[in-house]
Amino acid sequence: MGRPECLPRFFFSVASFFSYDQLCEWADVASTLTPPARLAVIGDPIGHSKSPQMHNPALQACGLEAQYVRVQVPVGQVKEAFGQFQKNGFLGVNITIPHKFEALEAVDFLDPLARQLGAVNTLAIRDGKLHGFNTDGPGFLRSVKEAFGAEVKDLRLLILGAGGGAGRAVAVQSVLAGCQHLLLANRTESKLAPLVQELASLGSAQVQTCSLAPADLAQQLAKVDLIVNATSVGMKAEDAPLLPAGCLEARHFVYDMVYRASGPTELIQAAEAAGAGHADGMCLLLHQGAISFEHWVPGHTAPLEAMRAGLAAANAGV
Ligand code: ATR
């Protein structure tokens, strides 16, 4: 992590990430950090995470002399890592792949929404206790509102990859927010049955399933407003597009949860070509991050524009 030109008062960590071993000897690391590290993101791998470039400008905008660092934590060590953060005076932690499920079991208090979504992406440490939250779901709702000027409850939703962890969370959060029409698609269709049952227990939404076969999707697209790609398709430039060519309309909203640093995914390109509204994984990163920040720093509204500018600079390689 470099020292951004726009932040002259701060000397951010120059390490790309800290190791689990370093976390266990944090007193040695802490003596080298100004301002002190009070927030972190854990994952494995973690060096690619752009969360520090979003949260450090936010901390500075709020006048808080603290910094946000990356720590690589191996699978199976999440509870121990949380103990180290607690011992060393951290305010909170973001949790990313592959630890969001392990984190569910590693907190003292689990927020009911995190329980329902089946994942913890935010730890807040308050009075020495570990509180687990999920801000991905609320971040999805906020980002839809910002990107499309619409509420999920008023939209008919198609989720591609609803059988995966991210797709399941979007489906559950959307039904909890009042969405009435959901169409779930997954490559392995058998994974959808338990989710359909679970959604039925949450409310009165009409939930249907379909395959990812191009002819099936082309027909179903006429009946939906918001299309969410929750599969990993698009992460690699060589990935074949999920949607058949030419089937998007200008009235569609397209939300690709994938973000590809090398340029827009095929799905985003197809949305642009159709004149449809679109948003990508950066939009979700921003809004889930803003909600996490407000869990850690009560009394502060997250400085969204500072966070957005930090992410834009990170994406531009500044
Ligand atoms: P995450 O927790 O990030 O959602 P995951 O649980 O591994 O990750 O889910 C990945 C999703 O992408 C799944 O819906 C997966 O479909 P399967 O359930 O059939 O595995 C989907 N996916 C991955 N590669 C895909 C591909 N090439 N075509 C279609 N769907 C794909």
Side-chain angles (χ1 to χ4, degrees):
M1 204 183 329
R3 180 184 163 196
E5 284 301 307
C6 56
L7 304 175
R9 288 190 304 121
F10 289 76
F11 295 89
F12 288 102
S13 151
V14 289
S16 156
F17 63 87
F18 296 101
S19 68
Y20 178 69
D21 288 345
Q22 286 175 301
L23 177 64
C24 294
E25 301 294 335
W26 194 252
D28 297 342
V29 175
S31 62
T32 68
L33 296 180
T34 307
R38 292 283 175 257
L39 297 170
V41 57
I42 65 165
D44 191 5
I46 198 59
H48 64 284
S49 170
K50 292 194 165 69
S51 291
Q53 291 103 315
M54 169 172 68
H55 283 295
N56 281 322
L59 287 165
Q60 196 203 13
C62 292
L64 299 168
E65 300 252 337
Q67 69 173 297
Y68 182 113
V69 297
R70 303 180 187 94
V71 182
Q72 186 162 310
V73 171
V75 169
Q77 302 297 332
V78 169
K79 197 170 176 55
E80 288 73 12
F82 283 179
Q84 291 295 334
F85 288 118
Q86 184 183 32
K87 193 172 103 184
N88 288 290
F90 278 69
L91 298 169
V93 177
N94 275 137
I95 298 100
T96 189
I97 295 167
H99 298 321
K100 292 185 187 186
F101 309 108
E102 196 178 329
L104 278 170
E105 307 297 329
V107 296
D108 301 316
F109 300 102
L110 184 59
D111 184 67
L113 180 64
R115 191 189 305 280
Q116 267 181 313
L117 298 182
V120 165
N121 79 322
T122 301
L123 173 75
I125 304 173
R126 297 174 187 159
D127 300 325
K129 297 288 182 204
L130 306 175
H131 298 257
F133 298 95
N134 186 305
T135 70
D136 287 330
F140 170 73
L141 299 179
R142 275 200 202 179
S143 57
V144 166
K145 175 89 173 137
E146 184 189 79
F148 308 125
E151 303 276 358
V152 166
K153 71 179 173 52
D154 300 322
L155 300 172
R156 296 167 299 170
L157 189 52
L158 166 61
I159 304 173
L160 306 168
R168 184 186 161 280
V170 166
V172 172
Q173 179 68 80
S174 297
V175 168
L176 291 173
C179 177
Q180 289 298 310
H181 299 274
L182 278 97
L183 183 57
L184 312 178
N186 205 57
R187 178 178 58 182
T188 313
E189 282 187 75
S190 58
K191 287 192 191 168
L192 294 175
L195 178 59
V196 171
Q197 267 199 335
E198 187 184 349
L199 296 176
S201 74
L202 295 178
S204 57
Q206 283 181 25
V207 181
Q208 294 181 309
T209 63
C210 75
S211 78
L212 285 181
D216 212 1
L217 283 178
Q219 201 184 15
Q220 298 294 346
L221 282 172
K223 302 179 204 160
V224 302
D225 309 302
L226 171 60
I227 299 144
V228 179
N229 175 33
T231 74
S232 46
V233 174
M235 290 175 89
K236 292 184 239 124
E238 63 271 24
D239 283 344
L242 279 175
L243 296 185
C247 63
L248 287 174
E249 302 169 39
R251 65 173 188 83
H252 279 132
F253 299 138
V254 175
Y255 197 129
D256 194 345
M257 294 179 84
V258 168
Y259 170 78
R260 199 164 70 204
S262 59
T265 61
E266 285 64 30
L267 183 57
I268 295 290
Q269 290 176 42
E272 277 170 353
H278 52 83
D280 67 19
M282 271 302 131
C283 202
L284 182 59
L285 181 63
L286 174 68
H287 287 280
Q288 63 78 32
I291 301 169
S292 295
F293 191 88
E294 289 169 5
H295 280 302
W296 298 323
V297 193
H300 281 276
T301 301
L304 202 61
E305 294 319 313
M307 298 173 86
R308 197 191 309 272
L311 273 182
N315 290 331
V318 177

